[in-house]
Amino acid sequence: MTVPVERPPAVEQPPPAVEDADTPPTPSVREKLGIEERSWMLFAVVVAFILLAFAGMVVLTALAGGTTYVR
């Protein structure tokens, strides 16, 4: 034996908006920048890494008790 089920009426979806072919779409999500636009950041990271490595060499030399290079 089946029992009829009462369901709420279906909600109608609004029609899709008509877009003009002449106007470019507006970006709703901010576009990600490529590496070409972030070359200054890459340069800064490389320089910081080189300076950090140089400072590490100086610190390790000082901790080892050396002040000059062997001639």
Side-chain angles (χ1 to χ4, degrees), residues 35-46:
I35 191 65
E36 294 84 12
E37 289 84 15
R38 294 185 182 179
S39 60
W40 61 270
M41 187 183 297
L42 178 63
F43 176 75
V45 168
V46 169

Side-chain angles (χ1 to χ4, degrees), residues 35-63:
I35 191 65
E36 294 84 12
E37 289 84 15
R38 294 185 182 179
S39 60
W40 61 270
M41 187 183 297
L42 178 63
F43 176 75
V45 168
V46 169
V47 168
F49 181 76
I50 291 171
L51 291 175
L52 183 64
F54 182 75
M57 290 186 336
V58 170
V59 168
L60 288 176
T61 301
L63 288 175

Side-chain angles (χ1 to χ4, degrees), residues 15-26:
V18 178
E19 296 181 14
D20 291 334
D22 297 336
T23 59
T26 56

